[in-house]
């Protein structure tokens, strides 16, 4: 019972932390994109391929969290 409670507690904290990180990164990208190297002219590849990589990363992270 304790293991399940601890897992749920840590999952909730992880979701909150991920949201805070995403908000902080969005603010940094809006204010100073040069800090993170967001040079749109130098980026190559299609947006669809990048979306697939991001989706795959999220899916793998969720799979590992469930296991």
């Amino acid at each position: 019972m304790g293991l399940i409670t601890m897992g749920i507690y840590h999952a909730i904290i992880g979701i909150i932390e991920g949201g805070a990180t995403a908000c902080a990164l969005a603010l940094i990208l809006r204010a100073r994109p040069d800090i993170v190297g967001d040079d749109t002219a130098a980026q190559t590849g299609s947006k669809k391929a990048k979306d697939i990589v991001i989706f795959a990363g999220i899916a793998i992270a969720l799979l590992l969290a469930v296991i």
Side-chain angles (χ1 to χ4, degrees), residues 37-58:
D38 186 28
D39 187 17
T40 55
Q43 290 180 352
T44 58
S46 68
K47 181 172 173 23
K48 185 176 180 182
K50 290 177 186 176
D51 289 343
I52 291 172
V53 170
I54 291 172
F55 177 75
I58 292 171

Side-chain angles (χ1 to χ4, degrees), residues 19-36:
T21 302
C23 288
L25 186 58
L27 289 172
I28 291 170
L29 283 172
R30 187 176 307 156
R32 295 277 314 270
D34 58 308
I35 293 176
V36 292

Side-chain angles (χ1 to χ4, degrees), residues 1 6 13 24 26 29 33 42-43 50 55 65-67:
M1 182 68 179
M6 185 179 70
I13 289 176
L29 283 172
Q43 290 180 352
K50 290 177 186 176
F55 177 75
V66 169
I67 292 174

